[in-house]
Amino acid sequence: MNILIVATEVSPFAKTGGLADVVSSLSIEWKKKGHRPVIIMPKHRRIDIQKYNFHPTFLTLLVPMGYWTEYATIWRGKLPNSEVEVYLVENNSYFDRPGIYGDTSEYMDNDRRFIFLSRAAFEAAKALNFKPDILHAHDYHSAYTMPFLKTHYKNDPFFARTAGVFTIHNLAYQGRFDPQATMEYSSFGMKSFYPGSWFEYYGSTNFMKTGIKFADKVTTVSPTYANEIRTEYFGEGLHNVLNSRASDLIGILNGVNYDEWNPETDKFLPMNYSVNSLEKKKDIKYKFLRDNNINDDLDIPLVGMVTRLTEQKGIDLIINKLEDFLWHCKIRFAVVGSGEPRYENYFNYIKSKYPFSSIVYIGYNEKIARQVYAASDMFLVPSRFEPCGLTQMYAMKYGTLPIVRATGGLIDTVQEVIPSQKTGTGFVFWNYNAEDFAYALLRSLEVYSNSELLNKARKNAMGMDFSSAKSAEKYIEVFKWALEKI
Ligand code: ADP
Ligand code: GLC
C-alpha cells in the first residue's frame, strides 16, 4: 500500500511529544511489511539537515492558497536506520521559526501554516509521482487534508483511488480559528461556512471537527480513549461530532519501537541491562543520583516523570502530595519536563527546597529523559486524561513501575500489582483526586519494600509487548476498510 503521511512532528527530526514517535515507528513497521510510507512534514528550523542527511530535490511546488499561489521546495531524506522516505516542505516564512507550534505562545498564523502544509502535501505527492492509496493525517495540524481530498482533489485522477484516514492523538488541541481567514486560505470561501456545516463550530472554524467529518475513517490512539471521547466529559465539546462518526471511529493502541526504546541497547545509558541483569539498573540509579550530587541513602525509592508540563498530565495531584512524601524522606523525585510556567516554577521551587531529594530538569532533553526511565523505581503518569501515553510503556520496558490514573491508554496498558498473586505491572488509581493518587504511591512503596515482589513486578512489566508491529498491522486493516468506500 502507498501511504502518504502528513504530520508536523516526526522523531528524531522534530519532537514535542508522543505524536512524533508514533509517526516514525508506524512508518518503519509499514516499510518492513512491504508497504511504501512517504512522510511529509515541515522543514522546521530545528531539523538538523546535515546530521540527518537531507538533500534538496530542486522540485518547486505551486501551492494554491485562497485565490493565489504560494511556493514550497522539498527536501528528501530518510528515517534513520530505515528506508522510509521523508520529505520536508520548505517555506521559510512559515517554518523557519524556533518552535513547531509556537515559542512563548502559539503562533498566530497556525491556521495558515497548517493549511499550507496540508495543501503542499498533495502537490508534493504529484511532483514525486507518488499515488497514495491512503492519505493519513495526524491531529488538527494536518486535518485539512481530509476536506481537500474530498473537494479540491476529488476530481483529480491522481487521487481518485485515495482514501483519507484521520488519527486523533489529542482532542484537547482542536485548532479553532477565525473563519474569514481559514475559509479564505483553504479556498473554500465563506459560502461553505454556515451554522452546522462541517467547517463551523460555534462561530469559529475547528480543524479537528473538519478532519473528523471529512475523513473516510477516524482513528484514535487507544481503545479506551475511543470510547471516552464519545462522552461529554472527555469529548472536549466534540462528542456529538464523534458520535456522528461512531461507526467509522476505532481505537488502535499506540505501539513502541523497541529498537529505539530498549535498556539492552539504549546508547544514552551509562550501561545497558536486561531483565536478567537488574542489578545494573540499581547501578544506573546510584550513578544518576551521584551525578546529581545526591550521595546518601541511595536506596530511597526514586520516583520519576518525563512529561510536557500541562494540566492534562495531572501535575496538580503531584503539587498536592509531593511534599508530604519528600518531607518525610519516603521518596526521591526526578522530573524532566517543560511547559506551563506555573508548573515549571513549582518544580524549581521543589528543587530549591529539597536539593538532596529531588532532581529537576526543566526543558527538553532526550538523554536525561532516558536516564530517568532507567534510574527510577516508579514512574508517575497521573493524567487527568491520556489518549494513549507512551511514557508508561517506555517505563515498563525499563523495569520502572508506572503509577497511572485509569484513563485512556493508561488503563489499556498498566495492570495493578496484586501481591498475593505476584501479577501486575504497576499501580492504578481511578478517581482524579490527590488522596487516591497518594494511596497508589503508598502501595508502590509497599511493593518496593519487598524485593522479591518488586523484582517479579519489574519482570512482568519488562515482559509486556506493546510493539509497534502490532499497531501497524491494525492500521493496515483500517486502511483496507477505508478503501472499501472508495
Ligand atoms: P504526549 O504526547 O501527550 O506528550 P506521550 O506519553 O505520548 O505524551 O509522549 C511523550 C513523549 O515525549 C515521550 O517520548 C517522552 O519521553 C517525551 N518527552 C516529554 N517531555 C520530554 C522532555 N522534557 N524531554 C525529553 N523527552 C520528553
Ligand atoms: C498525544 C497524547 C498521548 C499520545 C500521543 C501519541 O500527544 O497526549 O497520550 O500517546 O499523542 O499518540
Side-chain angles (χ1 to χ4, degrees), residues 18-19 22 139 169-170 221 254 308 312-313 386-390:
L19 166 63
V22 172
D139 270 353
H169 292 262
N170 194 334
V221 290
N254 280 339
R308 293 183 294 115
Q312 170 191 347
K313 300 293 179 179
E386 194 61 71
C388 180
L390 297 173

Side-chain angles (χ1 to χ4, degrees), residues 45-199:
R45 182 188 297 173
R46 65 173 62 176
I47 298 178
D48 190 334
I49 295 297
Q50 264 148 21
K51 176 174 173 192
Y52 295 117
N53 212 5
F54 279 98
H55 295 290
T57 61
F58 304 108
L59 292 170
T60 300
L61 306 181
L62 274 57
V63 184
M65 290 283 281
Y67 53 81
W68 63 95
T69 302
E70 298 184 4
Y71 300 91
T73 50
I74 44 181
W75 292 61
R76 188 195 312 267
K78 283 183 181 162
L79 283 181
N81 309 319
S82 84
E83 289 300 312
V84 175
E85 297 154 76
V86 182
Y87 294 93
L88 307 180
V89 173
E90 178 177 45
N91 178 305
N92 288 339
S93 66
Y94 289 130
F95 303 127
D96 185 15
R97 302 187 190 185
I100 296 178
Y101 309 109
D103 26 85
T104 45
S105 59
E106 296 268 301
Y107 295 130
M108 295 291 286
D109 58 348
N110 274 348
D111 51 350
R112 188 169 176 164
R113 297 171 76 226
F114 297 141
I115 285 172
F116 179 81
L117 172 71
S118 300
R119 198 77 203 242
F122 288 87
E123 300 305 323
K126 289 172 88 168
L128 297 163
N129 198 23
F130 177 70
K131 249 189 198 176
D133 298 297
I134 296 292
L135 174 56
H136 190 191
H138 295 267
D139 270 353
Y140 96 74
H141 328 105
S142 48
Y144 262 62
T145 53
M146 297 292 113
F148 289 162
L149 181 64
K150 298 296 174 191
T151 54
H152 304 332
Y153 294 91
K154 182 168 184 269
N155 296 321
D156 186 329
F158 200 84
F159 298 102
R161 301 276 318 141
T162 306
V165 174
F166 180 55
T167 296
I168 301 167
H169 292 262
N170 194 334
L171 207 56
Y173 304 95
Q174 297 181 2
R176 293 172 64 169
F177 296 100
D178 167 32
Q180 295 284 349
T182 314
M183 298 312 286
E184 180 169 8
Y185 299 141
S186 59
S187 315
F188 288 110
M190 286 303 281
K191 65 180 187 314
S192 300
F193 185 86
Y194 49 85
S197 96
W198 289 2
F199 294 98

Side-chain angles (χ1 to χ4, degrees), residues 236-255:
E236 306 276 354
L238 289 181
H239 55 288
N240 288 331
V241 173
L242 286 155
N243 278 313
S244 76
R245 296 302 316 270
S247 59
D248 293 311
L249 172 65
I250 174 164
I252 301 178
L253 191 69
N254 280 339

Side-chain angles (χ1 to χ4, degrees), residues 15-19 21 170 261 306-308 312-313 336-338 363-366 369 373 386 389-392 394:
K15 165 171 168 182
T16 67
L19 166 63
D21 288 1
N170 194 334
W261 293 91
V306 177
T307 187
R308 293 183 294 115
Q312 170 191 347
K313 300 293 179 179
V336 184
S338 65
Y364 187 92
N365 189 308
E366 186 78 27
Y373 286 116
E386 194 61 71
L390 297 173
T391 62
Q392 81 282 5
Y394 297 154

